[in-house]
Amino acid sequence: MAEPVRVRRLSDQEGQLLLRITRRGTGSPIRLRRAMVVLASAGGNTVPAIARLVQADEDTIRQVIHRFNEMGMASLDPQWAGGRPRQISPDEEQFIVETANTRPEKLGRPFTRWSVRKLADHLSLYATRRVRIGRERLRQILHRHRITFQRTKTWKESTDPRREVKLARIEYVSSHFPQRVFAFDEFGPLVIRPQAGAGWAAAGHPHRLPANYRKLHGVRQFHGCYSVGDDQLWGVVRRRKSAANTLAALKSIRAARPDGAPIYVILDNLSAHKGPKIRRWAARSKVELCFTPTYASWANPIEAQFGPLRTFVIAGSNHPNHPALTRKLHAYLRWRNANARHPDVLAAQRRERARIRSERQRRWGHPTTRAA
């Protein structure tokens, strides 16, 4: 005689989840009925009794139990099927995706982007391979292939023929002579007006700044110098960008290494950075100017240092005039340089942590055990 059909032994997690589904009685009715079948079988009820409980056929009850024994909790979720036969083949679906990723102008249509309606009309009337599809079905296919409506963006690629040479030179001097590598660039324009920002505040009560769109103070430029090896940033606020101001900044960089040995300054291709007077002075003073490629100012190490300046000094501010803004900039630079983590300090901290770990391991037999 065949053994009666019964669900396998449930784990604690499965039993708790089945009990939660049956007690709440919410969600999919099919999932609820299947959970009741499994829970009843686990409680020792026979197939005929379960069939009377859920008002179903006995063969259906056996099928639910067998599926749970094979698949576990995943068998409770309904697998919808049936309905109208599939009309769109996989090849047609791929063609739809390729058409959606193609600009309409390339396909002879007189617009710059698709809408769902225009794409459906094009597929059914003008495409080389006509596909009749409704707008909702088209939206579902695009969603499944992760094609979303996005804003167009632009970018600039470097057209510098010596791009790789310049980048290689910057990488070489930064890795081999970090203590003698400096970066220079301008940060601005600095404008005197309330600047939007962000900060901690009570929920629903953000800090307020007065609205003022009158720019009566002109603009300024912060000429910044950054020492890669020492992680020190300094600079001065000027009225404008000029070759004279650039030369003054380069002289301050040269003064930071007065030993007469060569130094390397990374800067972009602004015309105020590469005049003949600057080049002659650099040749006499043993200063190598390492220019970044065109449209590749991201290769300048100082660019990352300007981010905190904008976040913690400019954003959320309402400075009354340029002298006040300059004082705030220099106060932040003094704080930043005083709290910079010098490489020698970092190395000393790493050695101290290694010494503590070895001492703990020697005493307690485990490197992470804390001493009493």
Side-chain angles (χ1 to χ4, degrees):
M1 182 176 180
E3 292 289 334
V5 176
R6 184 173 180 177
V7 75
R8 59 171 173 77
R9 181 177 297 178
L10 303 178
S11 65
D12 293 339
Q13 184 178 2
E14 290 174 337
Q16 294 171 4
L17 184 56
L18 289 169
L19 194 61
R20 189 181 307 122
I21 295 173
T22 55
R23 283 180 176 177
R24 292 181 177 178
T26 58
S28 170
I30 296 178
R31 194 166 190 263
L32 173 62
R33 287 164 59 87
R34 291 178 179 178
M36 291 174 59
V37 170
V38 174
L39 198 60
S41 179
N45 293 285
T46 62
V47 170
I50 299 173
R52 291 191 297 269
L53 174 67
V54 298
Q55 296 295 309
D57 185 79
E58 294 185 9
D59 291 337
T60 302
I61 302 301
R62 295 187 182 93
Q63 183 180 8
V64 171
I65 295 174
H66 286 311
R67 283 176 57 84
F68 183 87
N69 291 338
E70 295 173 0
M71 302 173 57
M73 298 298 295
S75 65
L76 303 183
D77 298 324
Q79 301 293 328
W80 303 108
R84 185 177 179 178
R86 181 181 178 87
Q87 297 286 323
I88 300 177
S89 65
D91 292 340
E92 292 174 335
E93 185 169 327
Q94 184 63 32
F95 176 75
I96 293 172
V97 172
E98 293 176 357
T99 305
N101 283 323
T102 304
R103 288 181 63 88
E105 295 171 324
K106 293 185 177 180
L107 300 177
R109 308 304 295 149
F111 27 83
T112 59
R113 65 175 178 87
W114 296 115
S115 66
V116 175
R117 183 191 297 272
K118 287 182 172 60
L119 181 57
D121 292 343
H122 174 79
L123 290 170
S124 60
L125 298 176
Y126 303 102
T128 57
R129 179 177 182 176
R130 296 187 179 183
V131 180
R132 294 181 59 85
I133 185 172
R135 282 177 284 170
E136 179 60 21
R137 179 59 177 154
L138 176 58
R139 186 194 62 79
Q140 293 175 358
I141 291 176
L142 297 179
H143 178 74
R144 184 167 64 250
H145 289 271
R146 301 179 62 85
I147 300 176
T148 59
F149 200 76
Q150 302 180 35
R151 184 176 297 276
T152 303
K153 296 184 178 181
T154 60
W155 80 98
K156 289 183 178 179
E157 292 185 352
S158 177
T159 56
D160 197 327
R162 302 185 68 249
R163 177 182 183 274
E164 298 300 327
V165 176
K166 291 180 177 180
L167 291 177
R169 184 57 179 170
I170 292 174
E171 294 174 359
Y172 178 81
V173 298
S174 300
S175 59
H176 288 77
F177 315 106
Q179 296 297 326
R180 313 199 67 80
V181 175
F182 298 84
F184 168 77
D185 200 4
E186 294 88 0
F187 172 70
L190 305 178
V191 183
I192 299 302
R193 63 178 176 82
Q195 302 281 348
W200 297 101
H205 298 278
H207 298 296
R208 302 286 183 175
L209 291 175
N212 179 15
Y213 299 97
R214 301 182 66 189
K215 305 175 185 178
L216 304 178
H217 300 270
V219 300
R220 299 290 187 274
Q221 299 286 339
F222 175 74
H223 289 61
C225 307
Y226 175 63
S227 174
V228 175
D230 297 335
D231 191 22
Q232 298 290 296
L233 179 66
W234 72 95
V236 63
V237 176
R238 305 284 192 181
R239 287 184 176 272
R240 62 182 64 86
K241 301 177 183 180
S242 67
N245 292 334
T246 300
L247 183 57
L250 294 178
K251 289 181 178 179
S252 72
I253 292 175
R254 176 72 271 186
R257 294 291 185 271
D259 53 7
I263 63 173
Y264 309 90
V265 181
I266 303 172
L267 64 172
D268 60 30
N269 288 276
L270 186 69
S271 59
H273 297 170
K274 50 200 303 189
K277 188 174 180 179
I278 294 177
R279 292 181 182 272
R280 288 195 298 267
W281 173 87
R284 292 195 308 268
S285 304
K286 296 184 179 179
V287 176
E288 180 180 338
L289 303 178
C290 302
F291 292 103
T292 61
T294 307
Y295 303 139
S297 58
W298 50 263
N300 194 336
I302 201 173
E303 292 292 343
Q305 306 299 325
F306 288 155
L309 281 181
R310 190 179 303 278
T311 301
F312 295 106
V313 182
I314 304 299
S317 67
N318 185 20
H319 302 296
N321 48 51
H322 280 295
L325 173 56
T326 301
R327 287 193 295 270
K328 292 291 186 179
L329 278 171
H330 288 158
Y332 174 81
L333 292 178
R334 287 192 295 271
W335 175 88
R336 181 221 175 275
N337 293 335
N339 291 272
R341 306 185 70 183
H342 193 274
D344 295 339
V345 176
L346 293 176
Q349 292 175 349
R350 285 194 295 268
R351 289 193 297 269
E352 180 64 16
R353 288 194 295 267
R355 185 191 66 79
I356 293 174
R357 285 196 298 268
S358 62
E359 182 68 16
R360 288 174 178 172
Q361 187 175 15
R362 184 182 64 82
R363 289 186 178 184
W364 308 102
H366 194 279
T368 59
T369 304
R370 293 185 177 180

